[in-house]
Amino acid sequence: MGSSTDDTVAAEETVAADWRTLEPMELTPILSASLDAFYETGFHGTSVREIARRVGVTVPALYYHHENKEGLLIALLELSTSDVLWRSHAADTDGGADPVQRLSNVIEAIVLRMTMRARLAALEGEARYLSPENRQRYRAVRKGIEQIVRQIVEEGTESGAFDVEDSAETTRALLGMCQSIPRWYHAEGTLSPPEVAKKYVKIALKMVGASPRT
Amino acid sequence: MGSSTDDTVAAEETVAADWRTLEPMELTPILSASLDAFYETGFHGTSVREIARRVGVTVPALYYHHENKEGLLIALLELSTSDVLWRSHAADTDGGADPVQRLSNVIEAIVLRMTMRARLAALEGEARYLSPENRQRYRAVRKGIEQIVRQIVEEGTESGAFDVEDSAETTRALLGMCQSIPRWYHAEGTLSPPEVAKKYVKIALKMVGASPRT
DNA sequence: CCGGGCATAGCGATCGATAGGTTGGATACG
DNA sequence: CGTATCCAACCTATCGATCGCTATGCCCGG
């Protein structure tokens, strides 16, 4: 996990800020090729032979490391969902008690992930092709993120920091806005991920009726 | 096309209000079964035999009415996109010159379609599996809707009715919020389509910094 | 010499698509 | 009125290709 030297003091500071740093996720060659293929042609549109061809191996090599084709998608979704769930929670608690800061942090964390891990984030649309039990686990993660955002929206509304009529609907609108980012965002675009995140934080604050601190 | 009797006067009035009325779209048995199958298991996850089985015919019957499997998806997307494009444009012009009313109308039209034609609207995510030339036509439609919304946002910002920093980004956020509705909306839910539309119109007006008329 | 990490070869099933025959109803003709 | 013709709308049967997956064997580093 972490280095064994000088941890006591720097640990909190590091962990607290960690949710902003998204280095390119390191994947095994097999998972990297699977991600590319699934992103381009979808789960059912991708054959295991195509994945093996991209990796430069034969088909049985895939089955040595993963149970079956669905196992490849599960492994990718596992990494993806645990990453976004951890980051959202860290961003939330990092915002202290101020709903404005908490929502700003969570939206920033989500948008940063949607832009810097766009291909991985777009994969979540393929989760509905999983077997029922695996799909269940994935939907639990989605509900977790929704609950984080909804709690902030509700608490902010009760404290008067926000002006929201329907917190559940506003939460879905916030997440829907963010989840659609991978559909149009390209890394070659003019806006960098932090710039996109800043814009969406401001939009999100408007959606909940909180004036940005200008 | 239309009946030749009594058209001159009633036409305008009918057309102007038509974009709010969404009767269940009548599809051929083949397209109806294709829509169900594509919605449940995706384009690549659906076999032509499965579609034929749902219709109650054999496979060649499908190929008699449509060129190939992709032709089934094209026919559905054609109906879907032409419908939403027409409704959005009608809702826009029906709002007169007031940006608030125009945006309210367009968002209402889009949300009404997303809820009442949820399965058809969700199909648009499968458009990326089309061949390049067909995908091109579809993306043109999407750009058309985006341009309608963006124009309203820009004009509203220039006239002072809206308070928007980045109209392009706000437009994408508005559409992304709406396009994600089919992912969670079920017809069995507690909210009716007009109720959902009302809520999203209010949220949209907040996003562009226009205070709702209370 | 042994087992992790593959490749060779091929299994049965299913894929999208098609050639060619059948049918039933509308229309034209005597 | 009877019947000949025709075409839309299918069905039967089957094509070659590809699918997910695996039994078996080799090879090389420890």
Side-chain angles (χ1 to χ4, degrees), chain B residues 192-212:
Chain B
S192 71
E195 290 171 338
V196 177
K198 263 196 168 62
K199 290 179 181 290
Y200 272 81
V201 166
K202 290 189 176 181
I203 295 176
L205 291 179
K206 283 188 177 180
M207 289 174 72
V208 297
S211 59

PDB file of all heavy atoms in Angstrom, chain B residues 192-212:
ATOM      1  N   SER B 192     -45.655  10.563 -13.140  1.00  0.00           N
ATOM      2  CA  SER B 192     -46.120  10.511 -14.514  1.00  0.00           C
ATOM      3  C   SER B 192     -45.183  11.340 -15.388  1.00  0.00           C
ATOM      4  O   SER B 192     -44.502  12.233 -14.900  1.00  0.00           O
ATOM      5  CB  SER B 192     -47.533  11.066 -14.606  1.00  0.00           C
ATOM      6  OG  SER B 192     -47.522  12.465 -14.399  1.00  0.00           O
ATOM      7  N   PRO B 193     -45.160  11.058 -16.680  1.00  0.00           N
ATOM      8  CA  PRO B 193     -44.292  11.812 -17.581  1.00  0.00           C
ATOM      9  C   PRO B 193     -44.447  13.322 -17.485  1.00  0.00           C
ATOM     10  O   PRO B 193     -43.427  14.025 -17.410  1.00  0.00           O
ATOM     11  CB  PRO B 193     -44.691  11.274 -18.959  1.00  0.00           C
ATOM     12  CG  PRO B 193     -45.069   9.856 -18.695  1.00  0.00           C
ATOM     13  CD  PRO B 193     -45.741   9.879 -17.349  1.00  0.00           C
ATOM     14  N   PRO B 194     -45.661  13.875 -17.445  1.00  0.00           N
ATOM     15  CA  PRO B 194     -45.742  15.343 -17.300  1.00  0.00           C
ATOM     16  C   PRO B 194     -45.146  15.835 -15.991  1.00  0.00           C
ATOM     17  O   PRO B 194     -44.568  16.929 -15.956  1.00  0.00           O
ATOM     18  CB  PRO B 194     -47.254  15.606 -17.363  1.00  0.00           C
ATOM     19  CG  PRO B 194     -47.817  14.448 -18.102  1.00  0.00           C
ATOM     20  CD  PRO B 194     -46.989  13.281 -17.703  1.00  0.00           C
ATOM     21  N   GLU B 195     -45.283  15.058 -14.930  1.00  0.00           N
ATOM     22  CA  GLU B 195     -44.699  15.474 -13.650  1.00  0.00           C
ATOM     23  C   GLU B 195     -43.175  15.500 -13.721  1.00  0.00           C
ATOM     24  O   GLU B 195     -42.526  16.430 -13.227  1.00  0.00           O
ATOM     25  CB  GLU B 195     -45.164  14.525 -12.535  1.00  0.00           C
ATOM     26  CG  GLU B 195     -46.635  14.671 -12.174  1.00  0.00           C
ATOM     27  CD  GLU B 195     -47.105  13.587 -11.228  1.00  0.00           C
ATOM     28  OE1 GLU B 195     -46.479  12.524 -11.167  1.00  0.00           O
ATOM     29  OE2 GLU B 195     -48.141  13.812 -10.560  1.00  0.00           O
ATOM     30  N   VAL B 196     -42.626  14.463 -14.323  1.00  0.00           N
ATOM     31  CA  VAL B 196     -41.169  14.439 -14.488  1.00  0.00           C
ATOM     32  C   VAL B 196     -40.717  15.622 -15.335  1.00  0.00           C
ATOM     33  O   VAL B 196     -39.718  16.286 -15.018  1.00  0.00           O
ATOM     34  CB  VAL B 196     -40.722  13.114 -15.133  1.00  0.00           C
ATOM     35  CG1 VAL B 196     -39.213  13.114 -15.367  1.00  0.00           C
ATOM     36  CG2 VAL B 196     -41.121  11.931 -14.274  1.00  0.00           C
ATOM     37  N   ALA B 197     -41.463  15.885 -16.401  1.00  0.00           N
ATOM     38  CA  ALA B 197     -41.092  16.988 -17.286  1.00  0.00           C
ATOM     39  C   ALA B 197     -41.097  18.308 -16.528  1.00  0.00           C
ATOM     40  O   ALA B 197     -40.187  19.137 -16.682  1.00  0.00           O
ATOM     41  CB  ALA B 197     -42.047  17.039 -18.474  1.00  0.00           C
ATOM     42  N   LYS B 198     -42.111  18.533 -15.705  1.00  0.00           N
ATOM     43  CA  LYS B 198     -42.194  19.771 -14.933  1.00  0.00           C
ATOM     44  C   LYS B 198     -40.970  19.942 -14.038  1.00  0.00           C
ATOM     45  O   LYS B 198     -40.388  21.026 -13.951  1.00  0.00           O
ATOM     46  CB  LYS B 198     -43.460  19.747 -14.073  1.00  0.00           C
ATOM     47  CG  LYS B 198     -44.650  20.474 -14.682  1.00  0.00           C
ATOM     48  CD  LYS B 198     -45.717  20.738 -13.616  1.00  0.00           C
ATOM     49  CE  LYS B 198     -46.786  21.706 -14.102  1.00  0.00           C
ATOM     50  NZ  LYS B 198     -47.527  21.197 -15.270  1.00  0.00           N
ATOM     51  N   LYS B 199     -40.589  18.857 -13.368  1.00  0.00           N
ATOM     52  CA  LYS B 199     -39.437  18.922 -12.477  1.00  0.00           C
ATOM     53  C   LYS B 199     -38.156  19.251 -13.236  1.00  0.00           C
ATOM     54  O   LYS B 199     -37.337  20.073 -12.799  1.00  0.00           O
ATOM     55  CB  LYS B 199     -39.268  17.594 -11.724  1.00  0.00           C
ATOM     56  CG  LYS B 199     -40.360  17.339 -10.680  1.00  0.00           C
ATOM     57  CD  LYS B 199     -40.160  16.003  -9.998  1.00  0.00           C
ATOM     58  CE  LYS B 199     -41.261  15.732  -8.969  1.00  0.00           C
ATOM     59  NZ  LYS B 199     -41.153  16.614  -7.788  1.00  0.00           N
ATOM     60  N   TYR B 200     -37.997  18.625 -14.377  1.00  0.00           N
ATOM     61  CA  TYR B 200     -36.765  18.839 -15.135  1.00  0.00           C
ATOM     62  C   TYR B 200     -36.735  20.215 -15.789  1.00  0.00           C
ATOM     63  O   TYR B 200     -35.662  20.774 -16.025  1.00  0.00           O
ATOM     64  CB  TYR B 200     -36.566  17.723 -16.163  1.00  0.00           C
ATOM     65  CG  TYR B 200     -35.830  16.545 -15.577  1.00  0.00           C
ATOM     66  CD1 TYR B 200     -36.482  15.594 -14.818  1.00  0.00           C
ATOM     67  CD2 TYR B 200     -34.449  16.417 -15.742  1.00  0.00           C
ATOM     68  CE1 TYR B 200     -35.810  14.533 -14.254  1.00  0.00           C
ATOM     69  CE2 TYR B 200     -33.765  15.358 -15.174  1.00  0.00           C
ATOM     70  CZ  TYR B 200     -34.454  14.421 -14.437  1.00  0.00           C
ATOM     71  OH  TYR B 200     -33.771  13.377 -13.869  1.00  0.00           O
ATOM     72  N   VAL B 201     -37.894  20.761 -16.105  1.00  0.00           N
ATOM     73  CA  VAL B 201     -37.919  22.126 -16.625  1.00  0.00           C
ATOM     74  C   VAL B 201     -37.420  23.098 -15.558  1.00  0.00           C
ATOM     75  O   VAL B 201     -36.615  23.992 -15.830  1.00  0.00           O
ATOM     76  CB  VAL B 201     -39.342  22.501 -17.077  1.00  0.00           C
ATOM     77  CG1 VAL B 201     -39.460  24.000 -17.283  1.00  0.00           C
ATOM     78  CG2 VAL B 201     -39.705  21.764 -18.354  1.00  0.00           C
ATOM     79  N   LYS B 202     -37.854  22.882 -14.338  1.00  0.00           N
ATOM     80  CA  LYS B 202     -37.396  23.760 -13.257  1.00  0.00           C
ATOM     81  C   LYS B 202     -35.895  23.620 -13.027  1.00  0.00           C
ATOM     82  O   LYS B 202     -35.184  24.604 -12.824  1.00  0.00           O
ATOM     83  CB  LYS B 202     -38.168  23.435 -11.965  1.00  0.00           C
ATOM     84  CG  LYS B 202     -39.630  23.854 -12.014  1.00  0.00           C
ATOM     85  CD  LYS B 202     -40.294  23.707 -10.655  1.00  0.00           C
ATOM     86  CE  LYS B 202     -41.740  24.238 -10.710  1.00  0.00           C
ATOM     87  NZ  LYS B 202     -42.419  24.138  -9.402  1.00  0.00           N
ATOM     88  N   ILE B 203     -35.424  22.365 -13.059  1.00  0.00           N
ATOM     89  CA  ILE B 203     -33.985  22.147 -12.882  1.00  0.00           C
ATOM     90  C   ILE B 203     -33.211  22.807 -14.019  1.00  0.00           C
ATOM     91  O   ILE B 203     -32.173  23.450 -13.803  1.00  0.00           O
ATOM     92  CB  ILE B 203     -33.679  20.635 -12.815  1.00  0.00           C
ATOM     93  CG1 ILE B 203     -34.323  20.025 -11.565  1.00  0.00           C
ATOM     94  CG2 ILE B 203     -32.180  20.391 -12.806  1.00  0.00           C
ATOM     95  CD1 ILE B 203     -34.161  18.517 -11.454  1.00  0.00           C
ATOM     96  N   ALA B 204     -33.726  22.667 -15.236  1.00  0.00           N
ATOM     97  CA  ALA B 204     -33.036  23.248 -16.389  1.00  0.00           C
ATOM     98  C   ALA B 204     -32.965  24.766 -16.282  1.00  0.00           C
ATOM     99  O   ALA B 204     -31.942  25.376 -16.596  1.00  0.00           O
ATOM    100  CB  ALA B 204     -33.745  22.833 -17.678  1.00  0.00           C
ATOM    101  N   LEU B 205     -34.055  25.369 -15.826  1.00  0.00           N
ATOM    102  CA  LEU B 205     -34.059  26.822 -15.697  1.00  0.00           C
ATOM    103  C   LEU B 205     -33.062  27.281 -14.633  1.00  0.00           C
ATOM    104  O   LEU B 205     -32.451  28.349 -14.761  1.00  0.00           O
ATOM    105  CB  LEU B 205     -35.467  27.322 -15.350  1.00  0.00           C
ATOM    106  CG  LEU B 205     -36.495  27.180 -16.473  1.00  0.00           C
ATOM    107  CD1 LEU B 205     -37.868  27.672 -16.019  1.00  0.00           C
ATOM    108  CD2 LEU B 205     -36.048  27.933 -17.726  1.00  0.00           C
ATOM    109  N   LYS B 206     -32.889  26.477 -13.599  1.00  0.00           N
ATOM    110  CA  LYS B 206     -31.860  26.807 -12.617  1.00  0.00           C
ATOM    111  C   LYS B 206     -30.470  26.705 -13.228  1.00  0.00           C
ATOM    112  O   LYS B 206     -29.591  27.513 -12.932  1.00  0.00           O
ATOM    113  CB  LYS B 206     -31.966  25.857 -11.414  1.00  0.00           C
ATOM    114  CG  LYS B 206     -33.091  26.195 -10.458  1.00  0.00           C
ATOM    115  CD  LYS B 206     -32.993  25.341  -9.208  1.00  0.00           C
ATOM    116  CE  LYS B 206     -34.079  25.728  -8.200  1.00  0.00           C
ATOM    117  NZ  LYS B 206     -34.000  24.901  -6.982  1.00  0.00           N
ATOM    118  N   MET B 207     -30.278  25.701 -14.072  1.00  0.00           N
ATOM    119  CA  MET B 207     -28.956  25.504 -14.675  1.00  0.00           C
ATOM    120  C   MET B 207     -28.535  26.692 -15.517  1.00  0.00           C
ATOM    121  O   MET B 207     -27.347  26.991 -15.627  1.00  0.00           O
ATOM    122  CB  MET B 207     -28.968  24.240 -15.535  1.00  0.00           C
ATOM    123  CG  MET B 207     -29.041  22.959 -14.715  1.00  0.00           C
ATOM    124  SD  MET B 207     -29.215  21.485 -15.737  1.00  0.00           S
ATOM    125  CE  MET B 207     -27.581  21.353 -16.456  1.00  0.00           C
ATOM    126  N   VAL B 208     -29.511  27.349 -16.146  1.00  0.00           N
ATOM    127  CA  VAL B 208     -29.170  28.492 -16.990  1.00  0.00           C
ATOM    128  C   VAL B 208     -29.319  29.813 -16.237  1.00  0.00           C
ATOM    129  O   VAL B 208     -29.194  30.894 -16.827  1.00  0.00           O
ATOM    130  CB  VAL B 208     -30.043  28.531 -18.261  1.00  0.00           C
ATOM    131  CG1 VAL B 208     -29.796  27.297 -19.113  1.00  0.00           C
ATOM    132  CG2 VAL B 208     -31.504  28.646 -17.890  1.00  0.00           C
ATOM    133  N   GLY B 209     -29.589  29.714 -14.944  1.00  0.00           N
ATOM    134  CA  GLY B 209     -29.626  30.925 -14.130  1.00  0.00           C
ATOM    135  C   GLY B 209     -30.862  31.765 -14.325  1.00  0.00           C
ATOM    136  O   GLY B 209     -30.849  32.971 -14.056  1.00  0.00           O
ATOM    137  N   ALA B 210     -31.952  31.141 -14.791  1.00  0.00           N
ATOM    138  CA  ALA B 210     -33.208  31.873 -14.946  1.00  0.00           C
ATOM    139  C   ALA B 210     -34.139  31.485 -13.810  1.00  0.00           C
ATOM    140  O   ALA B 210     -34.427  30.311 -13.617  1.00  0.00           O
ATOM    141  CB  ALA B 210     -33.865  31.559 -16.288  1.00  0.00           C
ATOM    142  N   SER B 211     -34.598  32.484 -13.054  1.00  0.00           N
ATOM    143  CA  SER B 211     -35.476  32.156 -11.939  1.00  0.00           C
ATOM    144  C   SER B 211     -36.845  31.755 -12.479  1.00  0.00           C
ATOM    145  O   SER B 211     -37.417  32.458 -13.310  1.00  0.00           O
ATOM    146  CB  SER B 211     -35.627  33.369 -11.025  1.00  0.00           C
ATOM    147  OG  SER B 211     -36.165  34.452 -11.742  1.00  0.00           O
ATOM    148  N   PRO B 212     -37.363  30.617 -12.053  1.00  0.00           N
ATOM    149  CA  PRO B 212     -38.702  30.226 -12.491  1.00  0.00           C
ATOM    150  C   PRO B 212     -39.729  31.229 -11.996  1.00  0.00           C
ATOM    151  O   PRO B 212     -39.551  31.873 -10.967  1.00  0.00           O
ATOM    152  CB  PRO B 212     -38.897  28.854 -11.840  1.00  0.00           C
ATOM    153  CG  PRO B 212     -37.968  28.847 -10.677  1.00  0.00           C
ATOM    154  CD  PRO B 212     -36.800  29.681 -11.089  1.00  0.00           C
TER     155      PRO B 212
END
